[in-house]
Amino acid sequence: MVALEGAWWFTCCKALIRTAAVVVECLIITILILATLELLSRVVHLGVRPMLPYIADEAQGSRMPASFDSNVRFLGSPAFRVCTDEYGLRKSSCSTGVESTTVLTVGDSQAFGWAMPFEDTFTAHVAKALGEDAEHNARAMAAGGTDVESLLAWAKDYRSQAPLTRPRLNIIVINFGNDFDEMYFGRST
């Protein structure tokens, strides 16, 4: 009877090991397929995918440069302007002058409104829904691949440089990764 119990456990262990091996093989195949698709996407879009000039700093993390103004074009879409204010916050209007920030979105490329004009972003839609002038009063403190520590450092800098700014609404966008490199290798490209 003891030999039968030992044989039963041995058979169960062998089955579990085979199952684990199949699961690992499936994960490896899935990762290889995703990596191949990412590589093909980068090759096909080489020179077409716009690269915005994020400032990557070990101490302060990723952020947009101050007073940035440029036309960008994404594959299959018309060109549009991307502008930042004196703190590197994305805004709709590239005009200079005194403007207040009443709606502030903090986050990564999703909060930034990657591949879309500012008026189509989440930030602009929320500002309009609140009856705010999105063109002059909404900002996005966002950059692709930004981590929480970088955003906190950026926010701290912003508060020290603009201590009287008190947005009516702060929106924090937390995205758990949509870029292959960020999700699996912990780096942004």
Side-chain angles (χ1 to χ4, degrees):
M1 189 139 157
V2 173
L4 289 175
E5 287 178 10
W8 180 79
W9 283 106
F10 182 72
T11 305
C12 285
C13 286
K14 282 176 52 178
L16 283 173
I17 290 170
R18 279 193 303 260
T19 303
V22 168
V23 168
V24 168
E25 286 175 14
C26 289
L27 286 172
I28 289 171
I29 290 169
T30 302
I31 289 170
L32 288 173
I33 290 171
L34 289 173
T36 302
L37 291 174
E38 178 75 13
L39 179 65
L40 287 172
S41 170
R42 289 172 189 248
V43 168
V44 167
H45 298 111
L46 188 65
V48 180
R49 181 183 290 179
M51 294 293 132
L52 294 175
Y54 294 118
I55 297 170
D57 182 313
E58 284 295 321
Q60 299 181 349
S62 300
R63 56 178 75 188
M64 286 293 293
S67 304
F68 176 75
D69 180 358
S70 181
N71 286 319
V72 295
R73 183 179 177 281
F74 288 82
L75 187 64
S77 67
F80 58 90
R81 283 177 87 178
V82 173
C83 304
T84 63
D85 65 9
E86 64 271 23
Y87 307 108
L89 279 62
R90 185 175 183 196
K91 62 181 189 168
S92 175
S93 172
C94 294
S95 64
T96 58
V98 178
E99 299 171 341
S100 64
T101 301
T102 55
V103 177
L104 177 64
T105 302
V106 179
D108 64 359
S109 59
Q110 303 292 320
F112 182 83
W114 189 255
M116 63 180 65
F118 190 84
E119 58 269 9
D120 294 336
T121 65
F122 175 75
T123 305
H125 286 288
V126 170
K128 289 175 191 169
L130 292 172
E132 297 290 343
D133 178 7
E135 184 174 338
H136 297 103
N137 298 4
R139 302 279 189 278
M141 181 183 291
T146 305
D147 58 23
V148 175
E149 292 82 13
S150 298
L151 287 171
L152 289 174
W154 194 358
K156 185 178 176 184
D157 287 350
Y158 177 63
R159 291 299 258 171
S160 69
Q161 293 172 11
L164 300 178
T165 301
R166 298 282 186 256
R168 179 175 161 202
L169 177 64
N170 289 306
I171 303 165
I172 299 173
V173 176
I174 299 175
N175 181 17
F176 292 107
N178 63 314
D179 298 318
F180 185 81
D181 290 345
E182 292 173 37
M183 289 172 57
Y184 297 104
F185 300 110
R187 64 176 186 255
S188 61
T189 55

